[in-house]
Amino acid sequence: MAGILVVGGGPAGLESSWHLAERGQEVILIEADEELGGRPRWYTCKAVDQCRKCGACLVSEKVYRVENHPAIKVMTGTEVSKAYHNGTGFQIKLSRGEAVVEIQVAGIIMATGFDLLSPARRPEMGYAHLDNVVTAHEMEQMLAKGSGDWEDLLGAMARIAIVKCFGSRESIPGVTIGDQDGDQSLPGFWKHRSGVPYCSRVCCLYSEKLAVVLQDKIPGATVDIFGIDNQKYHPVYAVGQNEGYRLIRGIPSRIYPGPGQAVSLRYEDGQRSLLSEGVYDWVVLCPAVLPGDKGRGLSEMLQVARDGHGFIVSRAGFTDQPGVFAAGSCTGPQTIVESLHSGQTAAENLLMSLGL
Ligand SMILES: Cc1cc2nc3c(=O)[nH]c(=O)nc-3n(C[C@H](O)[C@H](O)[C@H](O)COP(=O)(O)OP(=O)(O)OC[C@H]3O[C@@H](n4cnc5c(N)ncnc54)[C@H](O)[C@@H]3O)c2cc1C
Ligand code: SF4
Ligand code: SF4
């Protein structure tokens, strides 16, 4: 029996693999990194007194189940170097370093995830040269790798700014997506651009949870959240606004060093129409969600259609190529739970399309 190839071991790929295996299929799950879990494997628990439903622990549970399923062969550190439709299915060449394996599969699920806009594209925001200006993903990694003493890591009574909507919801007059600065050798949406017009959907959710847990773990810490507004796409995740952090409507225009080890942040306070400045020990940027660059080669090999932003066009997991399905944030920004659901849907519809 030809198996199914699942590409990407984040929430979406894990869930697809699990459902396919439970329905009697032989699954090969490949992951470019050395570990399964995708981006959420770095996310810290956001519980304060009780679970705050961030979804991170759902992923570690899925990793355990997938790694121990007899019908799932997991190959980490592995990518697809060649893929084509050969009439009866797909001929695939998998590479891990110098080692190459050829396989034949009946179907493919792409669960190749997302990337984040590089904040270095905005030199005025200090990311490239200020050590205490980091992305939210880097902050999660610091917290996960640290000793668990957040006060020790970030400083007593740390003053923290979280900058949401960083590079999202940009409207630059006269500039269409793909026409902005960046590597001109790349087609449209793969250029390293400085902003995207859409909402990244997940950053309101995670920034509020991060703010609350930071204030809980570091006595006396203060958190200001800057952003265009507050999206409540996900009622299950909704948190109140009176949880200690300050919500400031406005995006900072500049971040610069000082006083001392701190950084200063200049912003227009949208509510009071005032140009203001704030001093912080840490600035956490929430950059725009972009289509994952590691999935680009495969989507080109399989000639899968993408939308104007570079995300795979998918309806209930179906792409425009027979036998090729897509799940999770490679189809657009999604939460962990949404990615798990789309992984399941893609698996079910792939089986249906193969008559299995
Ligand atoms: C800072 C931050 C915090 C967040 N916090 C939350 C939160 O608290 N709750 C929540 O619900 N959501 C949160 N999110 C969103 C969450 O990260 C996504 O919902 C989730 O990661 C999407 O899962 P995915 O499987 O689609 O993609 P990913 O997690 O990106 O996983 C994709 C995987 O595919 C692999 N891959 C890609 N291309 C290839 C290839 N060609 N070959 C092999 N492997 C490949 C990648 O290495 C990666 O491991 C957060 C996002 C960010 C940026
Ligand atoms: S869902 Fe998030 S907050 Fe709740 S227990 Fe799991 S990791 Fe912690
Ligand atoms: S989800 Fe929130 S923070 Fe992210 S781009 Fe949309 S409005 Fe801004």
Side-chain angles (χ1 to χ4, degrees), residues 38 213 253:
V213 78
S253 56

Side-chain angles (χ1 to χ4, degrees), residues 187-344:
F189 37 70
W190 297 109
K191 288 175 189 167
H192 301 289
R193 53 208 170 203
S194 55
V196 298
Y198 52 84
C199 167
S200 290
R201 292 192 80 247
V202 292
C203 14
C204 276
L205 171 161
Y206 73 67
S207 56
E208 290 180 318
K209 289 187 194 312
L210 186 61
V212 173
V213 78
L214 283 168
Q215 290 181 130
D216 180 65
K217 295 251 175 136
I218 307 174
T222 52
V223 181
D224 288 347
I225 302 183
F226 294 83
I228 296 174
D229 60 26
N230 229 17
Q231 297 289 345
K232 296 287 184 199
Y233 286 115
H234 320 289
V236 67
Y237 293 114
V239 290
Q241 286 186 24
N242 300 316
E243 302 195 70
Y245 56 81
R246 231 168 26 128
L247 216 45
I248 299 173
R249 200 171 291 251
I251 299 291
S253 56
R254 208 178 138 223
I255 300 173
Y256 48 97
Q261 299 297 307
V263 291
S264 297
L265 191 149
R266 182 170 300 163
Y267 64 97
E268 188 180 332
D269 184 332
Q271 263 144 348
R272 294 184 294 159
S273 295
L274 278 180
L275 203 57
S276 302
E277 257 172 39
V279 174
Y280 298 95
D281 302 303
W282 291 92
V283 177
V284 181
L285 305 173
C286 305
V289 169
L290 306 179
D293 200 41
K294 281 187 278 183
R296 175 158 61 100
L298 182 59
S299 64
E300 285 170 358
M301 281 182 242
L302 295 169
Q303 299 180 327
V304 174
R306 296 171 303 221
D307 66 18
H309 308 303
F311 293 106
I312 294 174
V313 178
S314 160
R315 233 173 191 212
F318 288 91
T319 70
D320 64 331
Q321 296 297 325
V324 182
F325 287 71
S329 55
C330 62
T331 65
Q334 293 189 358
T335 66
I336 291 170
V337 168
E338 288 169 339
S339 302
L340 294 172
H341 284 158
S342 76
Q344 177 175 357

